[in-house]
Amino acid sequence: MPKQGSAMKKRAVRGSSSGRPVMALLDLLGRRWSLRIIWELRDDRALTSRALRTACDEASPTVLQARLSELREAGFVELVAGDGYRLTGLGKDLAENFLPLYRFAERWSKRA
């Protein structure tokens, strides 16, 4: 069976010793500010570090930069010289998968 390449190396992650791709993804997305960064970049526009920090309710610059580095390493975010951070094609695909959850959350928040 041929080996499949991946952006994430198989290794133990929080909640799983298997390193399965879904566990690695959930581990990354479960880290503070990861989902928020992807959500704020979903509109296909680049944001500078400062604008992204403002959009993320003044998240700690240290934590925000750590998450951006992790998301860049995973292939979801890229840094465009002079523009700032934006989602890659893979990142856009991930953000699109959040939309059903977003719609569900909107309905859920209006329940009686």
Side-chain angles (χ1 to χ4, degrees):
M1 176 181 263
K3 290 185 179 179
Q4 295 180 357
S6 71
M8 301 288 292
K9 294 179 181 144
K10 281 198 172 193
R11 60 179 180 216
V13 295
R14 291 180 299 180
S16 173
S17 60
S18 69
R20 290 188 177 115
V22 70
M23 298 310 296
L25 178 63
L26 291 174
D27 179 55
L28 174 62
L29 297 179
R31 295 175 190 167
R32 177 179 269 168
W33 300 110
S34 291
L35 285 171
R36 182 68 180 268
I37 290 167
I38 292 168
W39 186 253
E40 295 300 337
L41 294 174
R42 75 191 181 283
D43 292 328
D44 203 25
R45 62 188 162 104
L47 292 176
T48 63
S49 291
R50 182 69 192 127
L52 193 52
R53 184 168 175 241
T54 299
C56 290
D57 300 324
E58 300 298 327
S60 156
T62 304
V63 173
L64 196 64
Q65 286 303 313
R67 293 307 163 260
L68 284 166
S69 293
E70 292 167 352
L71 291 168
R72 287 177 67 194
E73 181 181 327
F76 296 125
V77 172
E78 63 186 348
L79 177 59
V80 180
D83 283 340
Y85 294 93
R86 71 175 179 203
L87 294 179
T88 62
L90 187 63
K92 290 175 190 175
D93 189 30
L94 177 62
E96 286 176 21
N97 282 284
F98 292 154
L99 294 178
L101 186 59
Y102 171 78
R103 288 190 290 273
F104 175 84
E106 289 294 309
R107 287 192 313 273
W108 174 72
S109 71
K110 295 173 184 164
R111 71 193 187 286

